[in-house]
Amino acid sequence: MKLRTARRRGPHGPQRDDRGFASVEFAVLAVVILALVFTAIQVGLYFHARKAAQSAARQGVEAGRQFASSPSDGVAQAQNYLARFGGSVRGASVTSSGSSAEEVRITVRGSVATLVPGLELTVTQHAEAPIERWTTP
């Protein structure tokens, strides 16, 4: 004797069994959540590198604008700052191009550490200020 089980009928025909669908939903959702987490971490790395480059440029300008110093002193100070605190700015280059007799300008360029292979993010920050000098009243 063969027993038949009754199939439930929905509004659009027989209903199908949903067993095992939760694991598929979890797999799809896990990929989306991981992508969001890695994106948030990458954005944080970018802004940290940007802030480190900006701080190095400011430190360099402050050193280069002092009385009896030169823009090369500012470049050295910015490089020193990056050596201590700029680990997130890879391959950083510091220049004083754009400086004049009345103003010092320090530019810091470098790339950002990335989580995604092949993704290349660069950071360029600069700071400028007038050079301190004696003037007669």
Side-chain angles (χ1 to χ4, degrees), residues 49 52-58 60 78-79 82 89 92-95 106-110 123-127:
Q54 180 64 38
S55 296
R58 271 194 243 144
Q79 288 171 337
L82 284 173
V89 183
S93 68
V94 181
T95 64
I106 303 292
T107 303
V108 177
R109 288 185 178 89
V123 148
T124 302
Q125 294 293 313
H126 72 273

Side-chain angles (χ1 to χ4, degrees), residues 44-97:
L45 286 172
Y46 176 78
F47 281 107
H48 181 265
R50 185 173 166 230
K51 190 66 175 171
Q54 180 64 38
S55 296
R58 271 194 243 144
Q59 289 283 324
V61 162
E62 289 302 316
R65 74 184 293 256
Q66 293 176 3
F67 185 71
S69 66
S70 66
S72 62
D73 295 329
V75 169
Q77 178 65 27
Q79 288 171 337
N80 186 26
Y81 183 89
L82 284 173
R84 286 185 291 153
F85 303 112
S88 59
V89 183
R90 296 183 305 161
S93 68
V94 181
T95 64
S96 62
S97 61

